[in-house]
Amino acid sequence: IAFIEEGRFKLINRAFERTLGWTLEELQSQKTDFFVECYPGLRERQKALDAIADPNGEWSDFKTKVRDGRILDTTWANVKLSDGTVVGIGADITERKRTAKQIKALHQINLAITSTLDLPIILQFLLQKIDILMPYAAAHIRLINPSTGALESLACRNIDEIKWSNGTSTNYDFL
């Protein structure tokens, strides 16, 4: 929560400090332009300033840069009190958005699995979505051939496919 009066921070709560990284004293010192720091992109900064200038109580989502440089997905609603103070109520929704992307990816994987019997197509699609589910630089799928017992290469992502499928290297070249 942030209380803003005539464009200056009047009060912030501990969650604001903990999440965004600035103290009230730092915000009031005017040594740092909070909006330039948190919203380096002109469009996103103007959107934030407009939300404060016209506090209608509606929630708006932002990409917010915190003091340590991380980018968070945040949502803010601003309302104006009778004394003219604008109260900004915000929340870090980064985890919620990441979870929504994962659910969407799982749904798409489910649709792909039920729409074709072509295993290589399904596996390639799965590897395309794996970045959303598990943040690895590269991934591969090998299955054991039930007839021979051999481990067979089926699909890979961000790996030199020729070396990988031939088994000629244990140190794969990432793409």
Side-chain angles (χ1 to χ4, degrees):
I1 296 177
F3 290 80
I4 302 172
E5 183 175 32
E6 296 177 8
R8 293 180 44 94
F9 285 91
K10 183 176 174 181
L11 181 69
I12 60 174
N13 69 354
R14 285 191 196 117
F16 182 102
E17 288 183 10
R18 191 174 46 252
T19 304
L20 301 181
W22 279 276
T23 65
L24 180 61
E25 293 77 27
E26 291 168 323
L27 296 173
Q28 289 177 333
S29 74
Q30 300 292 323
K31 290 179 183 175
T32 301
D33 186 333
F34 172 78
F35 292 98
V36 170
E37 293 292 326
C38 285
Y39 307 104
L42 185 58
R43 185 180 308 154
E44 196 78 350
R45 184 178 330 129
Q46 192 59 54
K47 180 180 164 187
L49 293 170
D50 290 347
I52 293 168
D54 183 24
N56 58 18
E58 293 181 18
W59 291 95
S60 296
D61 293 352
F62 296 89
K63 292 283 188 191
T64 305
K65 182 179 174 189
V66 298
R67 188 170 194 167
D68 67 12
R70 291 174 298 129
I71 304 294
L72 299 180
D73 287 302
T74 61
T75 190
W76 289 88
N78 296 295
V79 294
K80 186 180 266 189
L81 302 179
S82 59
D83 70 351
T85 301
V86 175
V87 178
I89 303 165
D92 176 358
I93 58 170
T94 306
E95 188 64 27
R96 182 175 73 187
K97 285 207 168 194
R98 187 181 66 77
T99 301
K101 283 182 183 178
Q102 289 176 333
I103 290 170
K104 182 178 179 182
L106 288 170
H107 177 69
Q108 291 172 336
I109 290 167
N110 181 49
L111 290 176
I113 289 171
T114 58
S115 68
T116 182
L117 295 176
D118 191 347
L119 185 60
I121 290 173
I122 293 170
L123 295 177
Q124 214 44 54
F125 186 77
L126 174 64
L127 289 174
Q128 287 174 4
K129 298 298 178 183
I130 205 84
D131 288 339
I132 296 169
L133 301 172
M134 295 177 276
Y136 299 115
H140 66 95
I141 297 174
R142 296 177 190 250
L143 295 178
I144 296 175
N145 183 323
S147 302
T148 65
L151 193 59
E152 295 181 358
S153 305
L154 289 181
C156 67
R157 178 168 169 78
N158 293 335
I159 297 176
D160 182 325
E161 193 169 349
I162 294 171
K163 288 181 182 178
W164 172 76
S165 61
N166 291 335
T168 58
S169 174
T170 56
N171 297 321
Y172 299 115
D173 297 323
F174 297 112
L175 302 175

